[in-house]
Amino acid sequence: MIELTNPIALADFYAVLFDDEKIKLSGSTSDKINQSHNFLRDFAKDKIIYGVNTGFGPMAQYRIAEADQIQLQYNLIRSHAAGMGDVMPPCYAKSILLARLHTLSLGFSGVHPSVVELMKEMLNRDILPVIFQHGGVGASGDLVQLAHLALNMIGEGNVIYRGTQVPASQAFANERLQPMQVRIREGLALLNGTSAMTGIGIVNVIYGKRLLDWSIACSALMNELVSAYDDHLSEILNAAKRHDGQRQVAARMREIIADSKLIRKRPEHLYDRKVEETIFKDKLQEYYSIRCVPQILGPIWDAIQHSTITLIEEVNSANDNPIIDVASASVYHGGNFHGDYIAFEMDTLRIAIAKLTMLMERQLNYLLNSSLNGILPSFVNLGKLGLNFGMQGAQFTATSTTAENQTLAAPIYTHSIPNNKDNQDIVSMGANAAWLTKRVIDNAYEVLAIQLLTLVQAVESLGCEERLSSKSKHIYTDIRSIVPIFKEDMVLSPYLTAIRDHVKAND
């Protein structure tokens, strides 16, 4: 069990989302939440506080009578539970729930401790909110998506419980939990923030990191298959360019190929002997998709690192409005709910993953095109040329999926549309940016699956299994445990799906 502390780390999210760790709240966290709630309750008695005794957004000019203030919160939750589109998978819903829990636990939101306690119980008992893809413009926060979380907390709507959608009231009854009894401003505190885009984004960077690791491994194996020279991965060459990502990728690839019997050393072949040829049969330098991997994947490494930092900063921030500060004994109105930080990072990450997909597709094309590689049969066909097709059909899927990623890579951060009677006159579209990035990552894993199957078929064609590095050989045997060697044509979709699911679940 993890005791949530401030700041929460990416490793904590990973443990809860992928290792099913349970969480608990520290005594100091509960005290901080309680102090914030008590302060706001007393402070708001004779003052005008947005969302406590006023309407919301452009209707903030209307004062709300004390007798209606609790109903106001229920009205906000129910009216904004208007999402549509796909339901977010459990992992993403759980990440959103954890992100909102942690933000509220910082003690800047004025909620009662029972709110965070219920969220903790929902997490630990896998009662997950049904949240829809469409709804957030990411300016006054992820209002619509988080309204569905709040709706579940008051015992309404559907939740994901034991793998199926059931009424929230039924799941609570099964677990002997009481729905939240809304107190001062708690509807607004739950809705008004960036936790949906941040929760989705955190899952995105986890899967993005894993995808990058697989692409580095595939690129190393590509170098082995073509018996590339090793100097384009050398520490000296890559240190001459001052980018951390490039150096990290090159170092990873050197580590993978360290015991390979296929990689060539340039001095042995071209420097330490007299070269007589005037026309060289072998390439002096490989195609860019093989030789320039550190320079191509390096920026992607850096982008993932920066996105991770920004997401963790956001989830450790008070991102609603107003901010209740016990230390200065005041309430501050502003715009911490605005999602531009996350929207910008999700656009950047999406562009990076789209480029990674393009690299995988070009490496795949190199393997499938015998005119380019000069060492493999067309489409890495291990059967009878003309009669059998090898990986020809799968290439169409990889190409079309890569093209879709290229289209989806267009930034949405710049697509602000004013709404809410122009109160929200410039918005982030952060939830859309995060969701589109999820789609691009999912697509990239499909292209990766096709590349991996092609790579292991190429190993068979070249008969070089025993000369591979130990790490590349492990990948070969790993994929071969899912898909047998095939010469005759067969339906590939089930095998490709199995490879995709396997690599997405494993580093």
Side-chain angles (χ1 to χ4, degrees):
M1 182 171 285
I2 298 173
E3 181 174 273
L4 289 188
T5 58
N6 183 27
I8 193 171
L10 183 68
D12 298 319
F13 270 86
Y14 189 97
V16 172
L17 300 180
F18 294 94
D19 298 333
D20 201 30
E21 284 280 357
K22 309 304 179 188
I23 65 168
K24 64 179 180 179
L25 303 174
S26 67
S28 61
T29 296
S30 298
D31 290 344
K32 188 185 300 182
I33 297 168
N34 196 44
Q35 289 168 14
S36 175
H37 173 75
N38 291 339
F39 167 76
L40 178 62
R41 180 194 60 204
D42 296 338
F43 187 81
K45 285 179 180 177
D46 58 354
K47 298 176 182 65
I48 300 298
I49 306 295
Y50 172 76
V52 174
N53 46 26
T54 75
F56 301 109
M59 293 187 289
Q61 304 308 113
Y62 295 91
R63 187 166 185 166
I64 306 299
E66 185 175 355
D68 295 328
Q69 288 172 12
I70 299 303
Q71 187 60 46
L72 172 72
Q73 303 299 320
Y74 281 103
N75 290 350
L76 177 69
I77 293 168
R78 290 170 179 144
S79 67
H80 282 64
M84 296 182 72
D86 295 337
V87 173
M88 294 191 186
C91 181
Y92 297 85
K94 196 171 189 178
S95 186
I96 292 169
L97 178 55
L98 178 56
R100 198 75 203 135
L101 182 160
H102 184 70
T103 292
L104 296 181
S105 75
L106 299 176
F108 291 104
S109 301
V111 300
H112 190 270
S114 61
V115 174
V116 180
E117 183 66 25
L118 177 59
M119 298 174 87
K120 181 201 76 173
E121 292 300 324
M122 290 175 68
L123 266 175
N124 287 346
R125 300 169 192 240
D126 275 328
I127 303 173
L128 303 177
V130 169
I131 298 176
F132 296 91
Q133 166 194 355
H134 291 144
V137 297
S140 194
D142 300 314
L143 292 172
V144 171
Q145 280 104 342
L146 294 178
H148 285 276
L149 166 59
L151 187 71
N152 292 161
M153 292 180 66
I154 62 174
E156 300 178 17
N158 287 343
V159 295
I160 302 168
Y161 178 61
R162 297 179 180 174
T164 58
Q165 280 197 41
V166 302
S169 57
Q170 177 184 326
F172 283 5
N174 286 356
E175 295 291 337
R176 298 182 179 179
L177 294 174
Q178 293 298 316
M180 177 179 73
Q181 298 300 310
V182 175
R183 296 174 177 82
I184 187 171
R185 106 165 271 272
E186 288 177 347
L188 182 62
L190 283 165
L191 271 62
N192 209 203
T194 60
S195 299
M197 64 179 82
T198 304
I200 298 166
I202 285 171
V203 180
N204 285 344
V205 296
I206 289 171
Y207 280 132
K209 286 173 183 283
R210 185 171 292 167
L211 181 67
L212 176 59
D213 287 342
W214 276 104
S215 185
I216 291 170
C218 287
S219 297
L221 180 50
M222 284 285 298
N223 273 266
E224 291 189 76
L225 291 180
V226 302
S227 296
Y229 291 109
D230 66 346
D231 53 343
H232 60 271
L233 300 176
S234 67
E235 185 173 2
I236 291 174
L237 182 141
N238 287 282
K241 197 164 186 180
R242 306 298 300 171
H243 297 296
D244 184 59
Q246 175 177 332
R247 296 195 298 268
Q248 294 285 354
V249 171
R252 287 278 187 94
M253 292 182 71
R254 288 196 303 273
E255 180 186 354
I256 293 170
I257 65 171
D259 58 349
S260 173
K261 298 180 179 64
L262 293 166
I263 297 293
R264 292 184 292 177
K265 297 186 181 301
R266 192 174 295 272
E268 291 180 9
H269 292 267
L270 296 173
Y271 294 171
D272 298 340
R273 69 179 181 88
K274 187 175 181 181
V275 179
E276 302 289 349
E277 301 97 315
T278 56
I279 299 176
F280 305 108
K281 180 181 178 182
D282 293 334
K283 279 185 148 311
L284 294 183
Q285 298 186 116
E286 300 300 336
Y287 282 93
Y288 285 13
S289 62
I290 298 172
R291 176 174 27 126
C292 299
V293 171
Q295 292 82 2
I296 297 168
L297 293 185
I300 297 169
W301 176 292
D302 289 334
I304 292 173
Q305 294 300 111
H306 196 272
S307 290
T308 302
I309 291 168
T310 302
L311 285 159
I312 295 303
E313 286 177 343
E314 185 75 21
V315 82
N316 283 297
S317 302
N319 53 59
D320 54 341
N321 177 59
I323 296 299
I324 291 84
D325 186 60
V326 176
S328 64
S330 191
V331 173
Y332 298 90
H333 293 70
N336 278 6
F337 48 59
H338 212 283
D340 267 30
Y341 274 104
I342 304 305
F344 187 78
E345 290 300 332
M346 288 298 98
D347 278 358
T348 302
L349 181 62
R350 191 166 66 259
I351 291 168
I353 298 300
K355 186 60 178 285
L356 184 151
T357 311
M358 292 163 61
L359 174 65
M360 293 191 297
E361 187 276 334
R362 286 294 84 194
Q363 290 175 340
L364 173 66
N365 182 71
Y366 181 88
L367 292 172
L368 297 175
N369 190 337
S370 57
S371 299
L372 287 179
N373 62 64
I375 56 174
L376 294 167
S378 295
F379 306 111
V380 197
N381 182 358
L382 303 185
K384 185 176 180 181
L385 293 178
L387 177 64
N388 298 116
F389 293 90
M391 296 297 295
Q392 179 176 321
Q395 185 179 21
F396 295 126
T397 301
T399 302
S400 66
T401 306
T402 301
E404 181 173 286
N405 272 7
Q406 290 173 308
T407 301
L408 292 174
I412 199 167
Y413 174 75
T414 54
H415 288 191
S416 174
I417 301 177
N419 67 115
N420 194 230
K421 285 184 70 175
D422 275 356
N423 173 53
Q424 298 183 15
D425 58 349
I426 183 165
V427 300
S428 73
M429 296 297 179
N432 282 355
W435 187 259
L436 288 177
T437 303
K438 174 200 176 296
R439 283 183 58 188
V440 166
I441 292 170
D442 288 345
N443 285 349
Y445 274 99
E446 294 183 3
V447 178
L448 172 64
I450 295 167
Q451 183 185 19
L452 279 165
L453 182 53
T454 305
L455 282 166
V456 297
Q457 287 289 102
V459 172
E460 299 294 346
S461 177
L462 296 173
C464 62
E465 177 189 349
E466 297 306 318
R467 301 177 67 201
L468 293 173
S469 69
S470 55
K471 287 182 168 59
S472 292
K473 188 173 181 181
H474 176 75
I475 291 173
Y476 168 82
T477 55
D478 197 30
I479 302 304
R480 273 291 172 236
S481 69
I482 300 171
V483 188
I485 303 167
F486 66 92
K487 296 182 180 180
E488 300 300 321
D489 295 321
M490 62 183 187
V491 178
L492 292 180
S493 288
Y495 292 109
L496 293 171
T497 300
I499 295 172
R500 179 203 64 194
D501 293 346
H502 174 74
V503 297
K504 196 170 184 183
N506 294 276
D507 294 313

